[in-house]
Amino acid sequence: MTDQGPACAQAEVAIDADPQAVYALITDLPTLASCAEEAKAMKWCKGDAAVRGAVFKGSNRNGIHRWSTTCTVTDAEPGSAFAFDVGYFGIPVAHWRYDIVAADGGCRVTERMWDRRPGWFVKPGGIATGVMDRPTVNTEHIKVTLQRLKEK
């Protein structure tokens, strides 16, 4: 998957920190999970660092709803970008991307999500996760994630 076309959810934040340091936080899976609203744990299962092709498992929760995903790193450019594809039992779910740009003595971080679910999977996915309007909810979740990242 790629990040072509407009993202369906995104936000950005200015962080008073070096881009390399912010990249290190984003690519440290326990730290990223602690910042995210639905992700409760992330663990490497193929590789042990953010490199293209590495795979990690995400354990997610929304109230009583729990699910896991398999994520494959598509971009890992230290200090600049981290991106991954998300799948559920081989079904494409989403593409997530973090872009980091040096700015004003710190950096600006933009987080984006592209919904990649096939049409037939949208309703069952919504029922399984408790979220029927994924783009709207993820826009709010991204804002929360970036604010928590800024506070790290």
Side-chain angles (χ1 to χ4, degrees), residues 13-134:
V13 68
I15 299 178
D16 187 22
D18 178 74
Q20 293 287 347
V22 173
Y23 178 85
L25 290 173
I26 291 169
T27 58
D28 178 68
L29 296 183
T31 299
L32 184 57
S34 74
C35 292
E37 191 66 11
E38 288 180 330
K40 298 305 170 196
M42 296 177 181
K43 181 179 175 183
W44 294 111
C45 29
K46 178 182 170 192
D48 60 1
V51 296
R52 187 175 173 89
V55 177
F56 63 94
K57 179 78 68 179
S59 298
N60 307 288
R61 184 177 66 216
N62 175 28
I64 63 168
H65 304 276
R66 296 169 193 265
W67 68 99
S68 63
T69 57
T70 301
C71 307
T72 303
V73 176
T74 59
D75 291 291
E77 302 167 34
S80 179
F82 178 59
F84 52 92
D85 288 337
V86 180
Y88 181 77
F89 288 104
I91 300 166
V93 173
H95 179 73
W96 288 85
R97 183 174 181 90
Y98 297 82
D99 287 300
I100 307 163
V101 178
D104 302 323
C107 61
R108 178 160 300 284
V109 179
T110 303
E111 180 179 0
R112 295 180 181 92
M113 184 278 272
W114 289 260
D115 191 340
R116 297 294 191 227
R117 297 172 295 171
W120 64 267
F121 192 67
V122 173
K123 187 173 181 179
I127 292 168
T129 64
V131 176
M132 296 309 287
D133 184 357
R134 184 51 67 185

